[in-house]
């Protein structure tokens, strides 16, 4: 693995920062989280199973690191308002197209989801993990991943006015 | 009215390419004639696409240089396990830390490899780049047997003029049983190695080979410094006494 391991992590830093930002909602804390993730990844390097994807393994480390950070520092109290997150200011004035507005609305809708729904949307829809990989990152059964993800997407669709009335409840089992 | 046949989860799984083949074929057929089903499916396809696109911009933001540097530093720290003296010289003498340590002058006498798999190939330093140092004919099975049974301090003569001597047995920071051992061959390098036990096999974690040994098979101190640095990194516990070692090895069988 040697240099390859490091280079793979470096290549994946943009994704790690993106997921970190979604977890902690603060650019500064996000970069700290990325750093902690890298440290833990190197320390646990020999535990990585090359049969699995490095991306999913890194997300798992990151999420556990985040849980630890929250426990330790009670960061939740210092979360910055999402409206002040630097990358949210994406509307470029008069040139903003309808599509751009839609994307901003979608981003806001995802950011405002309950945390456990937001995590599955970020991992599966944004980072393109499989259901199984996301289940392993979050340490929950695949069925729970699916019910959270379906509910999250129906909520996003509702917020954005996509195909109103098309959604039907499938009597998903709640998972809290 | 048509009976509702597919759950939201199933439609979503279909949109995500995760629905099982049989069910996916049934859904394919149903979609042909069911507009409402198409609309529901579209909701899931569209939310995925929008989610992805709405966060795409974040990927193009430049990554702060300190994060990239952090990863490179970690790589250097974890992969070379160079003794502190080497690190100091690199810090003063080399602008970039990206060059592998084993290519640097001070470490040139060492060939060092970490995390080896089967085959026991030790990568070489730059002066011998064409030739790998293979630990002779020692197979993984043989190595497992030897490390399972030979007490530390005892020399075991192998068939091909190679000797193996376990040096110590200890637990690392995560309570994995590890053994340090030395392999001497009359016509090859002396290799100092660390292997740790995992699921019934001994995995070679580190091998430090002297590129050249003197006639007594003497291992230069710099090799042992590299080993010490590595053991530090492992949070190696103290060597087990003979009775504790025997008990720990017995437990493996």
């Amino acid at each position: 693995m040697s240099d390859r391991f490091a280079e793979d992590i470096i290549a994946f830093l943009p994704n790690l920062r993106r997921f970190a930002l979604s977890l902690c909602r603060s650019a500064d804390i996000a970069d700290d989280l990325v750093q902690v993730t890298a440290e833990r990844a190197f320390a646990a390097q020999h535990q990585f199973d090359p049969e699995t994807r490095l991306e999913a393994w890194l997300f798992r480390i990151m999420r556990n690191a985040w849980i630890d950070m929250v426990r330790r520092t009670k960061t939740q109290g210092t979360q910055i308002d999402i409206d002040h997150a630097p990358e949210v200011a994406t509307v470029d004035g008069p040139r903003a197209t309808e599509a751009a507005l839609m994307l901003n609305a979608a981003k806001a809708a995802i950011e405002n989801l309950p945390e456990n729904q937001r995590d599955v949307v970020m991992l599966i829809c944004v980072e393109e993990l499989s259901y199984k990989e996301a289940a392993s990152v979050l340490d929950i059964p695949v069925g729970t991943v699916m019910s959270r993800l379906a509910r999250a997407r129906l909520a996003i669709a509702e917020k954005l006015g996509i195909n109103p009335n098309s959604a039907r409840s499938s009597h998903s089992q709640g998972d809290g | 009215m048509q009976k509702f046949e597919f759950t939201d989860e199933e439609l979503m799984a279909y949109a995500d390419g995760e629905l099982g083949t049989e069910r996916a074929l049934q859904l394919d057929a149903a979609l042909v004639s069911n507009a409402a089903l198409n609309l529901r499916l579209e909701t899931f396809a569209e939310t995925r696409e929008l989610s992805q696109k709405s966060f795409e911009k974040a990927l193009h933001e430049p990554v702060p240089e300190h994060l990239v540097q952090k990863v490179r530093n970690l790589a250097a720290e974890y992969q070379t396990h160079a003794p502190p003296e080497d690190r100091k010289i690199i810090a003063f003498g080399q602008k970039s830390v990206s060059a592998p340590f084993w290519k640097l002058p001070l470490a040139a006498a060492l060939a060092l490899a970490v995390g080896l798999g089967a085959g026991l190939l030790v990568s070489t330093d730059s002066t011998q780049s064409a030739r790998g140092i293979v630990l002779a004919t020692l197979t993984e099975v043989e190595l497992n047997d030897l490390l399972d049974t030979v007490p530390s301090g005892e020399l075991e003569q192998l068939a091909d003029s190679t000797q193996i001597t376990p040096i110590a047995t200890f637990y690392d920071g995560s309570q994995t049983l590890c053994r340090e051992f030395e392999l001497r061959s009359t016509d090859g390098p002396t290799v100092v190695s660390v292997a740790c036990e995992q699921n019934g096999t001994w995995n070679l974690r580190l091998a430090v080979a002297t590129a050249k040994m003197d006639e007594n098979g003497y291992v230069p101190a710099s090799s042992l410094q590299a080993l010490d640095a590595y053991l530090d990194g492992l949070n190696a516990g103290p060597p087990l006494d003979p009775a504790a070692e025997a008990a720990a090895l017995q437990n493996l069988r």
Side-chain angles (χ1 to χ4, degrees):
Chain A
M1 23 226 277
S2 64
D3 280 344
R4 178 73 195 273
F5 185 74
E7 291 310 315
D8 284 349
I9 291 180
I10 289 169
F12 198 56
L13 283 175
N15 299 70
L16 288 174
R17 291 184 79 221
R18 181 165 72 173
F19 187 53
L21 199 58
S22 129
L23 286 172
C24 54
R25 300 165 163 234
S26 148
D28 291 344
I29 300 175
D31 281 347
D32 284 350
L33 181 57
V34 171
Q35 192 161 321
V36 171
T37 303
E39 281 164 3
R40 290 191 181 189
F42 274 101
Q45 201 178 151
H46 60 279
Q47 289 168 15
F48 171 64
D49 174 4
E51 300 289 304
T52 63
R53 282 210 299 162
L54 182 67
E55 290 88 336
W57 187 69
L58 291 171
F59 282 141
R60 184 183 163 90
I61 291 176
M62 171 171 281
R63 187 166 176 280
N64 289 338
W66 171 240
I67 291 170
D68 291 347
M69 268 169 103
V70 171
R71 270 197 207 115
R72 217 174 31 241
T73 64
K74 297 191 171 75
T75 322
Q76 272 170 324
T78 64
Q79 275 181 12
I80 58 161
D81 190 287
I82 200 64
D83 292 334
H84 297 142
E87 81 298 346
V88 170
T90 47
V91 181
D92 45 353
R95 299 190 53 172
T97 61
E98 200 182 324
L101 289 170
M102 187 65 157
L103 291 185
N104 281 332
K107 191 160 185 278
I110 292 167
E111 281 163 343
N112 286 313
L113 286 170
E115 194 179 314
N116 61 18
Q117 292 185 19
R118 193 174 67 231
D119 288 350
V120 289
V121 171
M122 289 303 294
L123 290 173
I124 293 163
C125 296
V126 179
E127 299 295 348
E128 303 199 281
L129 261 54
S130 68
Y131 293 171
K132 203 173 148 196
E133 286 171 332
S136 132
V137 170
L138 301 170
D139 237 342
I140 53 176
V142 171
T144 307
V145 166
M146 290 176 72
S147 63
R148 284 183 189 174
L149 186 61
R151 264 184 287 144
R153 280 154 86 170
L154 292 175
I156 294 167
E158 195 185 343
K159 231 179 200 152
L160 302 180
I162 297 170
N163 300 335
N165 307 322
S166 70
R168 309 283 178 90
S169 164
S170 59
H171 305 289
S172 313
Q173 282 164 1
D175 60 82
Chain B
M1 286 296 288
Q2 187 182 356
K3 198 180 158 231
F4 227 45
E5 288 180 77
F6 295 94
T7 65
D8 285 336
E9 277 86 353
E10 284 179 312
L11 287 164
M12 176 184 77
Y14 183 88
D16 292 344
E18 297 236 14
L19 192 61
T21 317
E22 195 185 330
R23 206 60 185 137
L25 287 171
Q26 289 170 7
L27 182 52
D28 275 340
L31 284 167
V32 174
S33 59
N34 188 332
L37 205 56
N38 277 282
L39 219 51
R40 286 175 61 211
L41 176 63
E42 203 180 287
T43 302
F44 289 107
E46 208 166 318
T47 46
R48 182 180 182 115
E49 198 189 337
L50 277 171
S51 304
Q52 199 162 40
K53 283 189 176 161
S54 68
F55 278 89
E56 214 170 74
K57 207 171 169 184
L59 278 190
H60 304 301
E61 283 176 21
V63 173
E65 186 51 35
H66 76 267
L67 281 182
V68 176
Q69 198 52 52
K70 174 74 190 179
V71 175
R72 293 204 197 284
N73 291 346
L74 282 166
E77 202 177 309
Y78 277 92
Q79 280 152 22
T80 68
H81 306 291
E85 287 79 359
D86 283 5
R87 283 190 199 143
K88 256 183 232 155
I89 285 169
I90 288 146
F92 288 114
Q94 295 278 327
K95 251 192 157 180
S96 160
V97 293
S98 62
F101 285 127
W102 64 79
K103 291 192 173 168
L104 296 169
L106 238 197
L110 295 179
L112 192 146
V114 179
L116 304 173
L120 311 184
L121 176 72
V122 179
S123 67
T124 58
D125 64 77
S126 57
T127 59
Q128 287 194 319
S129 55
R131 287 184 298 163
I133 304 167
V134 182
L135 301 192
T137 52
L138 191 62
T139 67
E140 228 176 321
V141 176
E142 280 176 316
L143 183 67
N144 276 331
D145 278 358
L146 291 164
L147 292 179
D148 273 355
T149 53
V150 182
S152 293
E154 216 162 273
L155 186 147
E156 184 85 12
Q157 183 71 46
L158 305 173
D160 59 337
S161 72
T162 304
Q163 298 166 338
I164 183 170
T165 313
I167 307 291
T169 305
F170 58 90
Y171 287 101
D172 74 4
S174 53
Q175 292 306 301
T176 304
L177 191 67
C178 299
R179 301 198 78 185
E180 176 190 338
F181 61 97
E182 207 175 275
L183 276 165
R184 291 184 180 197
S185 154
T186 47
D187 51 3
T190 296
V191 176
V192 182
S193 209
V194 174
C196 297
E197 200 274 340
Q198 205 172 15
N199 304 325
T201 53
W202 290 93
N203 297 316
L204 213 49
R205 293 276 184 84
L206 169 84
V208 184
T210 54
K212 224 178 180 182
M213 64 168 187
D214 68 19
E215 33 190 67
N216 301 316
Y218 173 69
V219 181
S222 57
S223 301
L224 299 177
Q225 280 175 349
L227 178 72
D228 285 347
Y230 181 69
L231 294 178
D232 273 354
L234 265 187
N235 286 326
L240 302 179
D241 63 43
E245 177 187 274
L249 295 179
Q250 185 63 42
N251 275 341
L252 297 177
R253 280 170 244 158

